[in-house]
Amino acid sequence: MHRFSFISLCVVGLVVVLFSGETRTAEAVTCDLLELSPCLAAITSSKPPSSTCCSKLTEQKPCFCQYLRNPTMKQFVDTPKAKRIATTCSVEYPQC
């Protein structure tokens, strides 16, 4: 009887681990500066950011500090226009 309970407990534990891992994978963000391409028009002109731009900006927010630490990417995301777009989209610009 104890062996059956132990095996049942192990199976339940495995199921919990598998499903919690699936949740984390679904919440993970792929940090790719190209994901912000819908913001290009707002960066290169005086046009306001589109709703798609704001959505992508919100989605990529966990990646901002990574972008700012990378000298190649920093030149695109650490500009007055980029900060204006973030403000317009109500996305807090990070202090890394």
Side-chain angles (χ1 to χ4, degrees):
M1 183 67 172
H2 290 289
R3 184 174 185 180
F4 179 76
S5 297
F6 177 75
I7 291 172
S8 298
L9 182 62
C10 288
V11 169
V12 170
L14 181 61
V15 169
V16 168
V17 168
L18 288 174
F19 282 112
S20 66
E22 184 175 326
T23 302
R24 276 187 243 123
T25 303
E27 293 173 355
V29 175
T30 300
C31 294
D32 182 359
L33 197 57
L34 292 176
E35 288 291 317
L36 296 176
S37 62
C39 299
L40 191 58
I43 291 171
T44 59
S45 70
S46 59
K47 292 181 182 180
S50 66
S51 60
T52 304
C53 169
C54 291
S55 294
K56 289 294 187 175
L57 203 59
T58 301
E59 179 184 294
Q60 291 287 302
K61 185 180 176 185
C63 304
F64 288 173
C65 287
Q66 177 182 331
Y67 296 154
L68 289 169
R69 289 184 192 112
N70 181 318
T72 304
M73 294 179 182
K74 184 176 180 173
Q75 64 183 334
F76 299 108
V77 295
D78 192 21
T79 65
K81 276 194 172 185
K83 291 175 184 177
R84 177 184 52 83
I85 293 167
T87 301
T88 302
C89 291
S90 299
V91 176
E92 186 179 332
Y93 196 83
Q95 299 294 323
C96 306

